[in-house]
Amino acid sequence: MNINTLEEIELGTLIVRTPGTLGGRPHIAGTRVSVQRVAAWYKMGLNAEEIVERMGNLTLVQVYAALTYYHANREDIKAYLAAEKSSYGSR
């Protein structure tokens, strides 16, 4: 529940896949921040609060939603991260 507005947030609406946005990869709704970006920072040792500070335009709820999605779909996100890493290595 959002304390400031007393509205409930439906968790399933926080992470979306939009054709044509970020190659259809899962991302935080209303942003161009992919779950894989949040997961990469997390794997580098940043905690949720540090990720919020780094981005500046995300809320803690959004970052935790991305991390939850990552943990629930770890193999898919690992595949995205591996593909991204190999594409950087081939440049």
Side-chain angles (χ1 to χ4, degrees):
M1 183 177 302
N2 185 328
I3 295 172
N4 294 328
T5 61
L6 297 179
E7 293 177 20
E8 287 187 19
I9 296 173
E10 185 63 40
L11 293 178
T13 64
L14 295 173
I15 304 298
V16 296
R17 287 178 182 254
T18 307
T21 302
L22 301 174
R25 293 187 311 255
H27 62 279
I28 298 171
T31 75
R32 293 185 56 83
V33 179
S34 67
V35 169
Q36 79 185 54
R37 177 189 279 184
V38 174
W41 287 331
Y42 174 75
K43 290 173 67 75
M44 289 175 18
L46 275 67
N47 64 35
E49 289 81 4
E50 291 167 329
I51 294 169
V52 168
E53 285 178 25
R54 178 171 282 205
M55 286 304 298
N57 64 329
L58 297 180
T59 67
L60 199 52
V61 170
Q62 290 171 311
V63 171
Y64 276 118
L67 290 173
T68 299
Y69 187 96
Y70 162 68
H71 286 291
N73 300 280
R74 193 175 297 219
E75 293 306 313
D76 290 341
I77 302 303
K78 280 184 181 177
Y80 288 130
L81 290 171
E84 184 175 77
K85 187 175 184 177
S86 70
S87 73
Y88 283 126
S90 64
R91 291 183 184 177

